[in-house]
Amino acid sequence: MDKLYEEIAFIAYYFHWPHSEIMHLEHRERIRFCEEISTIHRKLNQTPDNVFKR
């Protein structure tokens, strides 16, 4: 359950999407968005890999 909250918070923080919209995503879609956000973030800020990456 903690991972779910992490995924929701991560997506909501960067995309400003409402909770209900994020919850309608399939788990794999949420993970994919987290990966894509992290890729963009890494490129812009030269930060380490995403903690959600599997």
Side-chain angles (χ1 to χ4, degrees):
M1 187 69 117
D2 288 342
K3 284 289 189 193
L4 175 61
Y5 284 108
E6 289 176 2
E7 292 168 14
I8 293 168
F10 194 73
I11 294 168
Y13 179 81
Y14 283 97
F15 286 168
H16 307 284
W17 290 354
H19 179 267
S20 59
E21 190 167 337
I22 298 168
M23 287 304 294
H24 281 102
L25 298 172
E26 295 288 327
H27 176 69
R28 281 298 321 148
E29 288 179 296
R30 283 193 308 271
I31 292 295
R32 179 65 191 264
F33 275 114
C34 289
E35 290 170 349
E36 293 300 324
I37 293 167
S38 291
T39 298
I40 293 166
H41 191 256
R42 242 187 343 272
K43 287 178 183 177
L44 293 175
N45 299 303
Q46 299 175 355
T47 59
D49 284 344
N50 173 14
V51 297
F52 296 101
K53 192 172 183 179
R54 304 210 191 267

